[in-house]
Amino acid sequence: PAWGNRRHRPSTSIFTHNEKETIVFERKKESDYFYIWKALCCCLVIVIHYPFPGTAGEMILAIGRISVPFFFAVSGWYLFRDDDEKDQLEQLRSKLLKTVRLTLRVGVICIAFAAAVSLPEGKISAGEWFAERFNIFEILHLLVFDYGKMLESCAYHLWYLFAMINCYAVLYCGKKLERRFKRTWDGRSVMMMLLVALFILEAIVKGHGSWYRNWLFVGMPFILMGWYARQNMLNITRIPIFCGAVLSVAESILFGRKEIYLGTALTVLLILQRTHFSDFDWLPDRMKDFLVYVGKNLSSRIYYYHVLVLVTLQIQTDIRNGWLPILVLLISFFLAELLYRIEMIRCSKKAA
């Protein structure tokens, strides 16, 4: 019988054992590289929301603008696992639903915290507070611009999650249309046009740019940047990453604060180049393992809940100097570690 000769069949794998080991090693090197950058960027987000004082603080703030664009870009890098069109639709659907559930869970916590902070002041009743934030206009404003009164106070950083929802939804619809009409769209051209539109808006629109800091002008171009960089379609020569950071600092000195600098886009693009995947090899193993652990298991939790820590410290303490961002980072780290340990205990109990 056929099953009797199974062990004598030639291997169907197209890779040798050594080639498999090389592939596994390269994938781990890639994932560790991005985990380290996630760990660094979750720290930079805190500096954006409460900058260090002085000129040095402004320089760090300009460099830190890469954080959220990088999160979009790395999501684009891992957007699809393969080129199977039907499977890509299912992957987008799964990512969309997962992000919606995550946004609801984290959003409820942050909005409940905002209510607990605001309502005791007695300036507004609970009914008025909720009616002001949860109405048709604010919901539509949130869905279109990823910002609104619903996210004020303690949830403004969650615009990133709403932007991811919109991006996944648009990409899913785009894939559906591609499949129906059997035509593909040039994502690289879309990426370039959206980035150019973003920089034009930043140049001509004065004041806070929250209305164009959304899924369309920030989320989508950087997700596409990550996807095409993984396919080696956005290759550039090996330029040190710090060149993009220097350009961001120069722009901040010349033009003042901006949401996204030209140097921001350049830095993210440089981070995505495979030629930089060895940039952290000089780190001691313990430091590298620690950063990988933070990037893999804690960075998202630090991002979601650091604003709650920041608001609490601002209410309960008089610290208003350069120590506050450091204190927020340390407390957010221990909170993220606690939440991670609790989740691991729950998962182990379910498995048992």
Side-chain angles (χ1 to χ4, degrees), residues 118-136:
S118 303
L119 293 180
E121 296 177 356
K123 296 179 181 179
I124 189 173
S125 68
E128 291 173 331
W129 190 89
F130 281 99
E132 192 177 71
R133 286 159 176 77
F134 296 90
N135 56 66
I136 296 298

Side-chain angles (χ1 to χ4, degrees), residues 77-208:
W77 184 279
Y78 292 109
L79 191 61
F80 301 120
R81 291 187 301 272
D82 52 52
D83 295 326
D84 184 351
E85 192 172 303
K86 187 178 293 186
D87 191 44
Q88 284 182 353
L89 279 170
E90 183 55 37
Q91 289 175 55
L92 282 172
R93 179 178 174 276
S94 176
K95 289 177 185 290
L96 175 60
L97 294 177
K98 182 180 179 180
T99 308
V100 168
R101 289 193 293 266
L102 173 63
T103 304
L104 289 174
R105 185 170 71 249
V106 177
V108 166
I109 294 172
C110 292
I111 292 171
F113 182 87
V117 169
S118 303
L119 293 180
E121 296 177 356
K123 296 179 181 179
I124 189 173
S125 68
E128 291 173 331
W129 190 89
F130 281 99
E132 192 177 71
R133 286 159 176 77
F134 296 90
N135 56 66
I136 296 298
F137 174 80
E138 286 299 327
I139 292 173
L140 290 176
H141 192 274
L142 178 63
L143 293 176
V144 174
F145 297 106
D146 307 317
Y147 191 78
K149 290 184 178 179
M150 197 183 302
L151 299 186
E152 286 180 355
S153 179
C154 302
Y156 50 83
H157 59 301
L158 299 186
W159 77 271
Y160 163 74
L161 290 177
F162 285 94
M164 288 301 305
I165 290 172
N166 280 326
C167 289
Y168 285 144
V170 169
L171 289 169
Y172 180 83
C173 293
K175 280 291 177 184
K176 277 278 193 180
L177 292 173
E178 277 188 0
R179 190 175 173 187
R180 180 173 181 179
F181 295 104
K182 302 185 185 305
R183 297 187 65 180
T184 58
W185 50 283
D186 187 0
R188 285 175 293 177
S189 298
V190 173
M191 178 197 73
M192 291 302 301
M193 287 190 294
L194 292 176
L195 281 176
V196 169
L198 171 64
F199 293 131
I200 291 173
L201 286 170
E202 287 201 310
I204 65 177
V205 178
K206 303 300 180 182
H208 194 267

Side-chain angles (χ1 to χ4, degrees), residues 234-251:
L234 296 176
N235 266 337
I236 57 177
T237 56
R238 185 180 171 88
I239 303 172
I241 293 174
F242 76 83
C243 291
V246 170
L247 179 58
S248 295
V249 171
E251 289 179 82

